[in-house]
Amino acid sequence: MKYRAEIDGLRALAVLPVILFHAGFELFSGGYVGVDVFFVISGYLITSILIEDIEKNRFSIIHFYERRARRILPALFFVMFACIPFAILWMLPNQMEDFSLSLIAVSLFVSNILFWRQSGYFAPAAEEMPLLHTWSLAVEEQYYLLFPIFLILAWRFGKKGVFWMIIVIGVVSLFLSEWGWRNQEAANFYLAPTRAWELLAGSVTAFIVQKKGVQKHNLLALFGLASIFLSIFLYDETTPFPSVFALVPVLGVVLLILFANKETWAAKLLSAKVLVGIGLISYSTYLWHQPLFAFARIRLSEHPSSALMLLLSMTSIILAYLSWRFVEKPFRQRNITSRRTIFSGSLVGLCCFLFIGYQGYLNNGFEDKLLNTQELAVYKSTKRSNEPNCEHGVDKCFELMSDGENGVVLLLGDSNAEHFSTSLRNLADEMSYNYIQLTYNGCLPLANFNRLEKSPGFNQNCKSFNHEVRENLNFHEKNIDVIVVSAAWLLYYYGSDLLETTANFNKHPISNIRLSHNGKTEIEENERDEIFGNYFKALFTLLKKSANKVIVVGPLPPSIVKFNHKNSLFSPNLLSSSEFFNSTSSFNLVFDNAVNEANISFIDLAKELCNKDVCSVMRNEMYLYGDPTHLSNYGQSRIMAPLFRNEFLNIGFNN
């Protein structure tokens, strides 16, 4: 296969936006499409090699897997190995446990499946996962595993038949991704069936180039280049992806491969020495950038500055050159490393990472080794349950949780309701009441607002959930004894303006919530009081029509503690009471008026947690918070359990 310098330049165009996007530079809001550029390039190169080998009767599946192992595993293992000591030094046990699982998943080429189950790609927690980026390697590895076998088996139908089979499979995969972003957003992003069409677009391109060669067409090549740039700068986290929107960068790559003859302007631009140089080390650069960013975010108590992230971006390129020069290149040369060395070394490396990962997971992230007795006790007080409170989901709950004889208790809201569920469910069981939980993380209860930083798929799911709640509650019939409702009221009301003078908290990614009303425009500050006032009144009125008693839990004062490494356990920053109440005075007026007008029970968490000086994050040297906007299991048992018990006793519940 003839070398094309512009392909290496295209690799640089893929990796740089990904790095700058992960570094947090807003200009590159669609930089994640660089992964899609990689997918198309991989599909093109691998298919080109396979076609050439098959037609010359020299194809060997063992030889193919050897080449892939030489290309992928040495640099990957080197970076994984380099991550381990920093994980041990800086990670808390829960982070170490997740990291251990990722070592297992990467070793088994299924990290995309793990991260699909663990966290969304754009979620705040994802920023502190050193191996998150390996999800794309897993997709490619799954393609490498299956596509050669498919090609050999299908070749009996002739090259033309194989070509059309690939097109049909690719179209099905594209349609699946269109369905996926609306219905299974996380799975759609991470899993191979909805990504396959991007790799297969490269495969189709390989067939065309193999038949017709690379054509010269300046305008089409420039159009392809412009398509990639437009998606990098115009797309953002709310763009449904992958979907038909991914056609823009994917087709851009296809046009460049087909029409960027070396004499075209686009090819000359992409063949610039600096781009070709970065392209040659793009794989190692991609491997290094995420661990550097993740460990910086873990180690620092504040969000890393733009200057630091830019420095780390450049560091990833330097480390990439070193690992390319001293790891990648030697292992690609057969005169230095034999096939037996590659396969045996790969097996040993995989077994080592599987063993370390299994031990880390089995021993709860080595919590007994990483922390002393005092540290372990304090650490355990920060924990929130990782187990789903519902049998049928983690983020969403719509089910009867326990049976009783005396009536029905219902918990309604988002994750700020869900984190009260253990206390409320235990109390309902103790008093022999049916307990029902209707919660959806990030979804404002019974509202039809759109969250502008969320995808259309999430907003549609939220509205559907709220509609289902209305349908199933049988409003206007008092068939529920008590409804407890709670949500992240302050975050929805203020969004990124919440406590803007408190720098540490304002930089926490969860504070970027922005709502639109009637699906059109963002709610402006001068509209907040009227819109939320009407919402609260409508919500409380609706709930009163369905239940004998309604208990609304007021907003949880945000903590500016970030549990990112063990030193942070013993140096909590405290939020002053005056700052909190002054910053939230407009919300308190609107919310309190709605509660008083509805004449419903009210649990005032701010009153419980804030004294005249500060809002507490600890009691008895244990943490009440599990993260800046949720209580820990300790806080739930220490704060919420007694408050719920008092409320139930006040309204006549007893044994």
Side-chain angles (χ1 to χ4, degrees):
M1 181 180 173
K2 187 177 180 181
Y3 173 71
R4 296 178 60 182
E6 64 272 15
I7 297 295
D8 276 327
L10 195 53
R11 283 195 176 110
L13 186 59
V15 75
L16 292 176
V18 171
I19 293 173
L20 294 170
F21 168 75
H22 286 156
F25 292 101
E26 294 183 1
L27 178 63
F28 298 87
S29 59
Y32 55 84
V33 304
V35 172
D36 307 87
V37 174
F38 274 126
F39 283 159
V40 182
I41 294 173
S42 293
Y44 165 70
L45 293 175
I46 293 304
T47 306
S48 298
I49 293 169
L50 289 172
I51 292 174
E52 186 175 325
D53 285 351
I54 291 172
E55 289 191 329
K56 293 183 178 180
N57 294 317
R58 66 186 187 196
F59 174 75
S60 164
I61 195 72
I62 297 297
H63 179 61
F64 175 81
Y65 290 148
E66 177 195 346
R67 290 181 66 171
R68 292 299 91 205
R70 288 180 183 275
R71 176 75 174 92
I72 294 171
L73 296 183
L76 176 61
F77 285 177
F78 183 64
V79 172
M80 290 170 68
F81 178 78
C83 286
I84 292 174
F86 293 99
I88 292 171
L89 284 172
W90 292 343
M91 281 184 164
L92 287 169
N94 63 316
Q95 296 168 317
M96 190 67 195
E97 185 175 348
D98 288 341
F99 176 72
S100 298
L101 274 177
S102 68
L103 289 177
I104 295 173
V106 174
S107 300
L108 297 175
F109 313 125
V110 292
S111 59
N112 59 328
I113 297 174
L114 172 68
F115 294 125
W116 158 50
R117 300 302 300 167
Q118 277 190 337
S119 175
Y121 185 72
F122 302 110
E127 292 187 335
E128 295 178 1
M129 295 180 178
L131 299 178
L132 175 70
H133 59 326
T134 61
W135 74 268
S136 63
L137 301 184
V139 171
E140 290 197 18
E141 287 157 353
Q142 290 154 19
Y143 167 78
Y144 298 151
L145 181 66
L146 298 175
F147 187 72
I149 299 172
F150 158 77
L151 209 58
I152 285 294
L153 294 177
W155 203 258
R156 70 186 70 178
F157 299 104
K159 186 188 292 186
K160 186 175 181 180
V162 174
F163 176 79
W164 286 107
M165 282 187 223
I166 292 174
I167 288 179
V168 170
I169 296 171
V171 170
V172 171
S173 174
L174 174 59
F175 278 114
L176 185 61
S177 71
E178 269 296 295
W179 176 89
W181 75 261
R182 293 177 172 87
N183 298 277
Q184 296 290 334
E185 188 176 3
N188 180 59
F189 188 90
Y190 282 113
L191 300 187
T194 54
R195 290 287 186 171
W197 68 271
E198 299 175 332
L199 287 150
L200 295 177
S203 298
V204 169
T205 308
F207 275 86
I208 297 172
V209 170
Q210 199 266 349
K211 182 177 181 180
K212 297 184 176 182
V214 180
Q215 305 296 304
K216 177 184 177 182
H217 200 300
N218 269 311
L219 289 181
L220 287 178
L222 286 175
F223 183 77
L225 195 60
S227 297
I228 298 171
F229 276 112
L230 285 174
S231 58
I232 290 170
F233 296 117
L234 296 182
Y235 289 3
D236 59 26
E237 296 174 9
T238 67
T239 305
F241 219 85
S243 65
V244 293
F245 285 94
L247 280 170
V248 176
V250 167
L251 292 181
V253 180
V254 169
L255 289 174
L256 283 167
I257 294 174
L258 290 176
F259 299 108
N261 175 285
K262 64 181 181 179
E263 297 177 0
T264 60
W265 300 323
K268 289 177 180 178
L269 175 63
L270 291 172
S271 299
K273 286 186 178 181
V274 63
L275 290 180
V276 172
I278 293 173
L280 287 171
I281 62 172
S282 60
Y283 174 58
S284 281
T285 307
Y286 183 75
L287 288 178
W288 278 112
H289 84 281
Q290 177 64 16
L292 289 174
F293 294 168
F295 283 119
R297 290 176 172 124
I298 288 170
R299 187 65 184 89
L300 299 175
S301 57
E302 296 186 4
H303 197 73
S305 66
S306 296
L308 176 59
M309 297 307 283
L310 185 59
L311 177 62
L312 291 175
S313 300
M314 292 187 288
T315 302
S316 69
I317 295 176
I318 296 171
L319 291 174
Y321 172 76
L322 295 174
S323 60
W324 172 78
R325 176 69 177 81
F326 297 107
V327 179
E328 282 193 66
K329 286 188 70 177
F331 279 97
R332 288 192 202 177
Q333 298 176 25
R334 289 184 177 84
N335 60 332
I336 297 177
T337 51
S338 65
R339 174 181 291 179
R340 169 180 258 180
T341 301
I342 284 294
F343 283 143
S344 59
S346 298
L347 182 61
V348 170
L350 292 173
C351 289
C352 287
F353 289 121
L354 285 171
F355 177 77
I356 295 170
Y358 178 71
Q359 290 299 315
Y361 179 70
L362 189 67
N363 293 285
N364 301 316
F366 302 113
E367 61 181 16
D368 294 331
K369 307 292 185 187
L370 298 180
L371 302 175
N372 61 38
T373 303
Q374 180 193 9
E375 291 171 339
L376 186 58
V378 175
Y379 159 72
K380 285 186 174 180
S381 74
T382 70
K383 297 187 75 173
R384 292 178 60 201
S385 175
N386 289 324
E387 296 297 323
N389 287 312
C390 284
E391 295 179 6
H392 301 108
V394 178
D395 293 333
K396 185 190 299 185
C397 183
F398 200 110
E399 60 191 81
L400 175 68
M401 302 288 288
S402 59
D403 291 318
E405 301 173 353
N406 293 333
V408 177
V409 174
L410 168 68
L411 177 64
L412 176 67
D414 61 8
S415 62
N416 276 59
E418 184 269 340
H419 72 160
F420 301 147
S421 60
T422 301
S423 295
L424 194 58
R425 180 177 180 176
N426 290 343
L427 188 58
D429 289 345
E430 178 186 329
M431 296 182 172
S432 194
Y433 275 79
N434 292 293
Y435 174 68
I436 300 174
Q437 185 172 326
L438 304 178
T439 57
Y440 189 178
N441 293 358
C443 182
L444 191 59
L446 301 184
N448 62 353
F449 298 136
N450 280 323
R451 283 183 60 169
L452 297 177
E453 87 288 2
K454 290 285 190 179
S455 69
F458 173 87
N459 286 313
Q460 183 55 50
N461 289 339
C462 177
K463 289 180 181 179
S464 298
F465 178 83
N466 283 330
H467 176 74
E468 192 175 358
V469 170
R470 292 189 190 94
E471 292 294 313
N472 283 271
L473 279 183
N474 296 319
F475 287 116
H476 311 298
E477 299 178 17
K478 298 216 179 240
N479 58 340
I480 300 172
D481 291 272
V482 177
I483 292 179
V484 177
V485 60
S486 181
W489 309 117
L490 292 175
L491 289 172
Y492 296 117
Y493 183 86
Y494 288 108
S496 55
D497 296 329
L498 176 61
L499 303 182
E500 59 183 8
T501 58
T502 307
N504 287 352
F505 183 79
N506 192 43
K507 290 180 180 177
H508 193 277
I510 201 170
S511 65
N512 68 355
I513 292 175
R514 288 291 191 184
L515 299 182
S516 67
H517 188 48
N518 295 327
K520 294 180 180 179
T521 57
E522 182 178 328
I523 295 176
E524 300 293 339
E525 185 176 353
N526 59 0
E527 302 175 305
R528 285 177 186 163
D529 291 356
E530 180 181 359
I531 291 174
F532 277 91
N534 291 335
Y535 162 68
F536 291 138
K537 290 176 184 177
L539 172 65
F540 299 152
T541 300
L542 200 56
L543 296 181
K544 281 192 70 176
K545 290 179 179 178
S546 183
N548 294 315
K549 293 290 182 181
V550 176
I551 301 173
V552 58
V553 182
L556 179 69
S559 162
I560 54 178
V561 175
K562 183 185 178 188
F563 305 115
N564 52 353
H565 60 95
K566 62 184 180 182
N567 291 340
S568 67
L569 289 172
F570 303 96
S571 56
N573 296 315
L574 297 178
L575 177 65
S576 73
S577 298
S578 60
E579 182 179 16
F580 170 66
F581 288 113
N582 289 338
S583 299
T584 59
S585 58
S586 61
F587 167 84
N588 291 331
L589 182 61
V590 172
F591 193 75
D592 291 348
N593 284 342
V595 169
N596 293 332
E597 187 175 319
N599 192 27
I600 55 180
S601 298
F602 177 50
I603 294 178
D604 189 348
L605 286 181
K607 181 179 179 181
E608 187 68 25
L609 291 167
C610 301
N611 58 31
K612 65 178 182 178
D613 297 317
V614 296
C615 294
S616 303
V617 296
M618 301 181 78
R619 285 194 184 172
N620 301 324
E621 298 184 347
M622 298 294 181
Y623 275 96
L624 301 173
Y625 285 78
D627 63 38
T629 55
H630 298 90
L631 292 176
S632 65
N633 290 341
Y634 175 79
Q636 179 176 216
S637 62
R638 190 80 171 87
I639 300 294
M640 295 312 302
L643 291 174
F644 281 139
R645 182 176 295 278
N646 289 338
E647 286 293 333
F648 276 43
L649 292 175
N650 288 339
I651 59 180
F653 280 30
N654 54 56
N655 289 315

